[in-house]
């Protein structure tokens, strides 16, 4: 019986994914990992290959693996079709990196969305020389992410660096004032 339930769930999920694909929409509602990056990349490439009509990505994510977020961020900027991103729930960490891939006029959020910006973290162990290498990689990653956020929000790198020393939470209005959000919307009819 559990196998039948799993098959039914898979069929429903695949059916919904297909319907969203036809509407040129996709959803990220989980942690950011390599499997998700591969799936989103394939969908973006396929949709952009079919048409240059806008693609709408809905994101509600607690974040996750930075390099997987980089993959999705870069692919959004790579494809010819414009990508509109709608934040909902919370858009945190690597999720925020994905969110800012869209140009500001194409960055939307729903009224109760919260955003979390912070510096990357890592769980390092091993020999001192390995820990030292990992530390340098994290510092380099932090600098790169701060520059991306500064470019996409209009804030200075110094402001981003100061704000992200600790968890930096923004509600929808605060995120709009910060330059993260282009427009707060309440209805899909407001997407342009």
């Amino acid at each position: 019986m559990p196998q039948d339930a799993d098959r039914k769930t898979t069929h429903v999920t695949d059916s919904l994914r297909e319907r969203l694909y036809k509407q040129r929409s996709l959803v990220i509602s989980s942690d950011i990992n390599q499997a998700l990056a591969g799936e989103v990349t394939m969908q973006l490439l396929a949709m952009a290959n079919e048409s240059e009509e806008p693609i709408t990505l809905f994101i509600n994510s607690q974040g996750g693996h930075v390099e997987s977020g980089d993959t999705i961020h870069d692919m959004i900027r790579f494809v010819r079709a414009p990508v509109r991103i709608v934040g909902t729930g919370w858009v945190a960490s690597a999720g925020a990196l994905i969110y800012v891939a869209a140009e500001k006029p194409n960055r939307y959020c729903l009224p109760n969305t919260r955003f979390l910006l912070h510096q990357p973290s890592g769980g390092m162990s091993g020999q001192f020389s390995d820990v030292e290498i990992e530390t340098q990689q994290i510092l380099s990653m932090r600098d790169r992410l701060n520059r991306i956020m500064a470019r996409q929000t209009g804030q200075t790198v110094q402001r981003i660096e100061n704000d992200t020393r600790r968890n930096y939470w923004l509600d929808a209005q605060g995120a709009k004032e910060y330059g993260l959000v282009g427009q707060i919307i309440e209805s899909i009819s407001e997407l342009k």
Side-chain angles (χ1 to χ4, degrees), residues 101-160:
E103 294 303 321
K104 189 174 176 183
N106 288 331
R107 293 194 306 251
Y108 301 86
C109 79
L110 301 183
N112 293 307
T113 308
R114 293 191 327 146
F115 294 84
L116 171 61
L117 307 178
H118 64 85
Q119 58 184 300
S121 61
M124 299 173 280
S125 63
Q127 297 178 1
F128 176 76
S129 57
D130 291 334
V131 171
E132 194 172 36
I133 291 167
E134 292 301 314
T135 300
Q136 287 305 313
Q137 288 299 307
I138 288 174
L139 291 173
S140 176
M141 180 188 301
R142 181 184 69 187
D143 180 59
R144 181 177 58 78
L145 294 172
N146 287 344
R147 284 185 281 116
I148 289 170
M149 284 295 172
R151 180 184 70 228
Q152 294 301 96
T153 62
Q155 298 294 336
T156 66
V157 172
Q158 184 63 45
R159 168 86 192 261
I160 299 290

Side-chain angles (χ1 to χ4, degrees), residues 49-85:
N49 188 51
E50 285 182 2
S51 162
E52 290 184 25
E53 291 294 313
I55 297 167
T56 304
L57 187 154
F58 296 88
I59 186 166
N60 171 12
S61 175
Q62 70 271 29
H65 192 254
V66 174
E67 285 82 357
S68 298
D70 283 334
T71 299
I72 298 169
H73 174 97
D74 289 347
M75 191 55 59
I76 288 167
R77 298 180 67 79
F78 177 78
V79 297
R80 279 194 195 120
V83 178
R84 302 179 296 201
I85 300 183

Side-chain angles (χ1 to χ4, degrees), residues 21 26 30-31 41 74 81 97 99 103 106 110 138 159 172 177:
Y21 181 88
L26 58 142
S30 65
D31 63 318
T41 294
D74 289 347
L97 173 63
Y99 183 80
E103 294 303 321
N106 288 331
L110 301 183
I138 288 174
R159 168 86 192 261
E177 292 166 7

